[in-house]
Amino acid sequence: MPRRNAVPYGYRRIDDAQGNYVTQLPVEPQASVVREIISRAAQGQAIAGILRELEARGVPAPRGGPRWSWTVVHDIARNPAYIGRPAGGADPDDLDRVHWTPLVPDQLFFTAQRALAPPPGGSPSRYQMVGLLLCALAPCRELLASYLPPVS
């Protein structure tokens, strides 16, 4: 059962009369943003390109600000909650049961996972370091973007 603050972006928590978690339901327009992120990832679009597009359109980030971080977009694209399944640590006998309304079909989610996976032989730590570098350089993003080729 999710902790009190563990409801993923795009859902709202439903409690019973005693305040106990019952389920979570999609909330728009955030649920549409989740669908878009996962769909674009499945099409092979880079996380950086997805976040730039969200910011360009003025889509508020999960905490309400104008800036999306690489980590937030990546974590949304990788979160199994969006196919109605709990994140790691769930009971293996319970993984096939849908716990709440999925926002995307399984096939789309797993296509996104394959697209986001590091290439064979690639080091996950190398990709984590790139993410940290992007976060550190966030204030200079526009300047850096002018020197880089467009991301497709």
Side-chain angles (χ1 to χ4, degrees):
M1 175 167 60
R3 294 182 319 265
R4 182 78 174 136
N5 295 325
V7 178
Y9 174 77
Y11 285 105
R12 67 182 168 89
R13 179 186 166 109
I14 304 298
D15 293 333
D16 62 18
Q18 291 76 37
N20 298 311
Y21 172 86
V22 175
T23 191
Q24 52 201 30
L25 295 176
V27 60
E28 297 296 343
Q30 293 88 352
S32 292
V33 174
V34 169
R35 290 183 200 101
E36 177 183 353
I37 289 169
I38 295 172
S39 178
R40 288 175 174 242
Q43 295 168 15
Q45 187 170 356
I47 296 294
I50 297 170
L51 80 85
R52 279 197 302 269
E53 173 63 26
L54 293 169
E55 289 178 353
R57 291 194 342 247
V59 176
R63 293 190 179 172
R67 295 281 187 200
W68 285 79
S69 73
W70 187 94
T71 302
V72 167
V73 175
H74 179 265
D75 289 352
I76 287 171
R78 302 283 285 183
N79 191 339
Y82 298 120
I83 55 172
R85 296 194 176 92
D91 180 351
D93 295 330
D94 202 28
L95 290 179
D96 290 329
R97 186 170 81 80
V98 174
H99 296 273
W100 48 80
T101 305
L103 295 186
V104 296
D106 286 11
Q107 183 176 358
L108 180 64
F109 179 80
F110 291 116
T111 300
Q113 302 320 294
R114 285 189 295 276
L116 292 169
S123 167
S125 61
R126 176 177 167 211
Y127 293 94
Q128 291 169 353
M129 292 304 294
V130 169
L132 289 173
L133 177 63
L134 289 173
C135 289
L137 297 175
C140 305
R141 185 184 341 206
E142 286 78 23
L143 176 65
L144 291 171
S146 67
Y147 291 100
L148 298 173
V151 177
S152 53

